[in-house]
Amino acid sequence: RSTRVRSSAASDVYKRQFVSGCTHHCKNCFNADTWDFGYGKPFTDVEINHIIDSCKEDYIAGLSLLGGEPMEYVNQQGLLPLARKFKETYPDKTIWCYTGYILESDLLSSTGRAYCPEAPSLLSLVDVLVDGPFVEAQKNIQLAFRGSENQRLIDLPKTLSEGRCVLWEATP
């Protein structure tokens, strides 16, 4: 089954790419429509080329992968070719990925819930990983780039290089 996607236009400086399918079903999820793996349209090479082309302007700093759940197995399979082509085409632009999974236990561990053969390759292309499910009881609208206190902004290249979780910090 192919990954299904729903795109939105660039907002601020990032192109947002929504994937369909999520098994977390977080209470008060901002995008519950995308829980359904059949939502949106099939993800094809035509879609990938359209996304790549839509990121060509200099004011677009990167690509954000959201959901649904980008790190569901079927979505990792679909997103890996997009992430590879994006990084080949725009090596100076960044990829952010929002996931309800936890990096260490779910994505990096070979016994993790979201680990699959594509996981290491896809993670190696992501610059910032926002991990952890949205938790209504920890909701904080003052947080930058995340919705609840338990979610982390992880500098993924540094984390993978150093073998320990390194949190992302905005540069002035």
Side-chain angles (χ1 to χ4, degrees), residues 1 21 25 32 34 36 51 55 62-63 71 93 95 98 103 108 116 126 129 139 146 161 163:
R1 166 171 262 221
H25 297 187
T34 62
D36 180 356
I51 294 162
C55 294
L63 178 67
M71 299 309 287
K93 296 186 181 199
I95 297 176
Y98 289 77
L103 177 64
L108 292 178
C116 66
V126 172
L129 184 75
K139 180 179 179 180
R146 56 203 166 122
S161 172

Side-chain angles (χ1 to χ4, degrees), residues 8 27 39 55 101:
S8 64
K27 180 180 178 185
Y39 184 74
C55 294
Y101 289 110

Side-chain angles (χ1 to χ4, degrees), residues 97-163:
C97 180
Y98 289 77
T99 180
Y101 289 110
I102 304 300
L103 177 64
E104 297 87 348
S105 60
D106 297 327
L107 297 169
L108 292 178
S109 170
S110 62
T111 59
R113 293 185 308 145
Y115 184 86
C116 66
E118 290 79 11
S121 297
L122 182 56
L123 291 171
S124 75
L125 298 167
V126 172
D127 297 285
V128 178
L129 184 75
V130 182
D131 83 337
F134 172 73
V135 176
E136 177 69 25
Q138 295 181 38
K139 180 179 179 180
N140 182 342
I141 61 171
Q142 295 182 356
L143 295 171
F145 310 114
R146 56 203 166 122
S148 59
E149 298 280 348
N150 63 299
Q151 295 172 314
R152 303 178 294 174
L153 303 171
I154 300 171
D155 183 322
L156 211 41
K158 286 183 182 176
T159 293
L160 296 175
S161 172
E162 296 181 21

Side-chain angles (χ1 to χ4, degrees), residues 10-128:
S11 174
D12 295 328
V13 294
Y14 275 80
K15 166 75 174 157
R16 296 175 304 219
Q17 188 60 47
F18 292 88
V19 299
S20 294
C22 181
T23 58
H24 299 299
H25 297 187
C26 300
K27 180 180 178 185
N28 292 324
C29 171
F30 85 101
N31 207 9
D33 288 345
T34 62
W35 292 352
D36 180 356
F37 283 87
Y39 184 74
K41 54 186 171 178
F43 196 57
T44 65
D45 287 341
V46 171
E47 290 295 319
I48 289 174
N49 291 333
H50 174 74
I51 294 162
I52 297 299
D53 187 57
S54 71
C55 294
K56 68 183 173 193
E57 300 298 335
D58 289 340
Y59 66 85
I60 297 176
L63 178 67
S64 292
L65 306 175
L66 306 107
E69 172 56 70
M71 299 309 287
E72 296 285 5
Y73 176 66
V74 68
N75 290 337
Q76 289 185 55
Q77 291 176 313
L79 289 173
L80 182 55
L82 169 62
R84 280 186 178 139
K85 188 163 188 178
F86 182 85
K87 284 297 192 174
E88 289 168 5
T89 307
Y90 307 114
D92 296 328
K93 296 186 181 199
T94 60
I95 297 176
W96 283 55
C97 180
Y98 289 77
T99 180
Y101 289 110
I102 304 300
L103 177 64
E104 297 87 348
S105 60
D106 297 327
L107 297 169
L108 292 178
S109 170
S110 62
T111 59
R113 293 185 308 145
Y115 184 86
C116 66
E118 290 79 11
S121 297
L122 182 56
L123 291 171
S124 75
L125 298 167
V126 172
D127 297 285
V128 178

